[in-house]
Amino acid sequence: MFDAIIIGAGACGLMCAVQAGFLGKKVLILEKNNKPGAKILISGGGRCNYTNLNNSALNFISENAHFCKSAFSQWTVNDTISFFETYGIYGKEKTLGQLFPETNSAKDIVNVFTGLCNDLGQEIRCDADVKLVQLTEDGSFSIAYERNGKSSVVETKRLVVASGGLPVQKMGATDFGLKVARQFGLRIAATAPALVPLTVTGKEADWFANLSGNSIFCRVSNEQISFEENILFTHWGLSGPAILQISSYWHPGEWITIDLLPGQNIAELLEEERRQNGKKLFLTFLSGLYTKKVAESFGKYLPVDKNIASLSKIDIQQAERFIHQFKVKPAGDKGYDRAEVMRGGVATEELSSKTLEAKKVPGLFFGGECVDVTGWLGGYNFQWAWASGYVIANNI
Ligand SMILES: Cc1cc2nc3c(=O)[nH]c(=O)nc-3n(C[C@H](O)[C@H](O)[C@H](O)COP(=O)(O)OP(=O)(O)OC[C@H]3O[C@@H](n4cnc5c(N)ncnc54)[C@H](O)[C@@H]3O)c2cc1C
């Protein structure tokens, strides 16, 4: 009856169903939630940052940095933009290339897909929790699912696993995609929460907690990469876009370095101030760069009660180190319930980059977050979900 069955009515599964419909292929989506697109609806604070104008393979983390290139050449950011424009959604750029619907409504994005699925006759079967996938003797996939307390089985020659990653269980997240991959002997690249806040414990914890709610524009770095965006202090550690970004590159036990005044040089600024207004208190000077609360908190590490003219060479060196090379060794991360995405997933060498079909299992496709392609914060993960859904639709 169906040309393919898709597990998961998320970003990837919905795009796949619609694109398959344009090609005249009939699909069935099985979705365990009671509605499609649950994560799209909460994304970007309910506004859905649906792509990024700067999208390139450089904005993705994967064991194979080149893997995503084929999908992104088949479905570009312009394709995403014009697809949504066709259905009345115009994008507006917020910052750093991040595109949101002009209406600020993630619901509009989901409505495009539900409307199209309806028009194209693609069935989205909600409340259908897929429990088991098995290969039958004739090479079909037998898919067992539970729906309203009843078990059912459907068969298909082409199965699309678009069941997402592990973040946010209450939104329907499962490890189902990883389980299916393992069952068919496909390797999984190590998974971990990504785009996730980081925790700070130990003797510094109170200092961070005391600053809860304050944010600072910073450059956050580790040995691999730097991000310049805000960090946000919280009562358990650090969050904010720059921290979420670096978290995707962070491993337990590693340090991160924070430049609290990127693009400026504190020693030069102090020297300038000393010449013009040496009597100024160091605290007053810092309050011009940060909120008063943040400036006061620096008193734990810097002689903020001195006036600038009386700062010694050592004081200035200490200020340079503190402000430009603030080191943090996070205790951990806030886990999958606070992560926006999962790092790792079905290993890329197991899939054709051109079709996303499993090399060892003809007819089995993986797309979206369950594949080892993890985007930065800023609409990149949806761009991957749309692109991978499109690619699969062309090959089922
Ligand atoms: C709070 C939050 C905000 C985010 N904001 C953004 C943003 O603004 N921009 C951006 O690019 N990315 C954002 N992301 C990431 C983005 O939502 C995901 O990368 C994207 O949704 C992945 O799409 P997907 O189709 O692979 O998986 P999903 O969208 O997670 O869809 C998978 C679907 O499969 C279903 N499923 C799972 N297991 C089964 C099963 N056994 N049987 C049946 N169905 C099953 C799930 O219920 C789910 O509906 C955000 C994530 C979170 C958590």
Side-chain angles (χ1 to χ4, degrees):
M1 230 179 109
F2 298 103
D3 293 301
I5 288 177
I6 300 172
I7 303 176
C12 175
L14 289 168
M15 181 59 96
C16 186
V18 161
Q19 296 295 338
F22 291 151
L23 298 171
K25 301 173 191 174
K26 192 147 175 50
V27 304
L28 165 69
I29 309 187
L30 297 172
E31 167 56 55
K32 80 193 269 279
N33 283 335
N34 60 6
K35 58 175 190 282
K39 246 191 217 170
I40 301 176
L41 290 171
I42 59 155
S43 67
R47 295 172 308 161
C48 187
N49 176 195
Y50 64 96
T51 191
N52 193 298
L53 299 173
N54 305 322
N55 189 69
S56 89
L58 296 174
N59 308 110
F60 290 82
I61 305 157
S62 170
E63 285 180 353
N64 177 357
H66 302 288
F67 181 81
C68 59
K69 287 181 180 170
S70 173
F72 288 143
S73 69
Q74 296 179 60
W75 180 269
T76 65
V77 171
N78 282 338
D79 290 323
T80 300
I81 293 170
S82 49
F83 171 80
F84 286 112
E85 280 184 359
T86 305
Y87 303 103
I89 294 181
Y90 292 86
K92 64 172 174 212
E93 185 188 348
K94 283 272 156 78
T95 172
L96 302 171
Q98 300 170 7
L99 229 59
F100 291 76
E102 224 172 30
T103 55
N104 275 329
S105 167
K107 202 157 186 274
D108 292 348
I109 298 272
V110 175
N111 287 345
V112 167
F113 290 109
T114 49
L116 280 169
C117 281
N118 195 37
D119 295 349
L120 294 161
Q122 306 291 48
E123 185 184 348
I124 307 173
R125 203 170 287 172
C126 287
D127 294 311
D129 188 357
V130 180
K131 299 289 186 192
L132 189 65
V133 171
Q134 280 174 308
L135 209 49
T136 63
E137 273 174 13
D138 75 342
S140 298
F141 298 95
S142 149
I143 299 149
Y145 66 95
E146 274 176 20
R147 191 171 191 225
N148 305 327
K150 205 175 136 238
S151 302
S152 306
V153 174
V154 274
E155 280 197 13
T156 179
K157 289 270 185 210
R158 309 210 145 234
L159 175 62
V160 181
V161 182
S163 54
L166 289 164
V168 200
Q169 238 180 358
K170 65 175 189 291
M171 307 298 317
T174 67
D175 63 351
F176 192 76
L178 305 178
K179 271 193 193 148
V180 173
R182 279 195 202 99
Q183 176 192 339
F184 285 97
L186 312 189
R187 189 175 72 80
I188 304 295
T191 54
L195 298 181
V196 64
L198 298 173
T199 58
V200 176
T201 56
K203 59 183 189 330
E204 305 296 338
D206 284 349
W207 186 79
F208 283 82
N210 188 41
L211 283 176
S212 180
N214 284 272
S215 63
I216 307 180
F217 182 76
C218 291
R219 182 188 302 118
V220 181
S221 316
N222 68 4
E223 276 161 18
Q224 292 175 64
I225 198 151
S226 293
F227 292 96
E228 261 184 41
E229 280 182 78
N230 280 343
I231 65 165
L232 172 71
F233 291 91
T234 70
H235 57 271
W236 35 256
L238 287 169
S239 187
I243 294 296
L244 300 186
Q245 297 280 34
I246 203 86
S247 75
S248 302
Y249 291 86
W250 178 80
H251 296 92
E254 290 175 1
W255 291 83
I256 55 174
T257 304
I258 305 181
D259 184 341
L260 297 161
L261 200 60
Q264 298 189 69
N265 182 315
I266 189 72
E268 284 172 16
L269 293 179
L270 283 169
E271 177 54 23
E272 179 72 23
E273 196 69 37
R274 192 185 62 77
R275 272 193 256 117
Q276 292 187 10
N277 192 3
K279 284 191 184 143
K280 190 185 253 184
L281 263 189
F282 191 16
L283 179 62
T284 314
F285 168 83
L286 288 170
S287 302
L289 297 173
Y290 306 99
T291 61
K292 189 150 181 281
K293 175 105 178 160
V294 169
E296 280 169 358
S297 76
F298 287 3
K300 181 168 179 208
Y301 303 97
L302 301 176
V304 297
D305 296 336
K306 286 189 179 178
N307 64 35
I308 289 175
S310 63
L311 290 175
S312 67
K313 213 171 152 190
I314 288 175
D315 290 338
I316 292 182
Q317 284 169 350
Q318 198 182 349
E320 275 184 299
R321 255 198 323 274
F322 177 78
I323 290 194
H324 293 303
Q325 287 177 48
F326 183 81
K327 303 261 187 218
V328 185
K329 189 178 184 182
D333 61 54
K334 288 294 277 179
Y336 281 114
D337 275 347
R338 292 294 299 270
E340 281 203 9
V341 78
M342 176 182 82
R343 190 171 67 198
V346 180
T348 51
E349 81 265 14
E350 303 285 7
L351 308 175
S352 153
S353 62
K354 291 194 178 66
T355 63
L356 300 176
E357 187 171 15
K359 291 175 186 167
K360 293 175 193 156
V361 193
L364 179 62
F365 295 78
F366 290 86
E369 198 176 319
C370 61
V371 178
D372 175 30
V373 174
T374 308
W376 289 5
L377 187 78
Y380 299 101
N381 284 297
F382 278 138
Q383 183 58 25
W384 167 247
W386 314 134
S388 54
Y390 171 82
V391 165
I392 296 172
N394 283 321
N395 290 284
I396 51 178

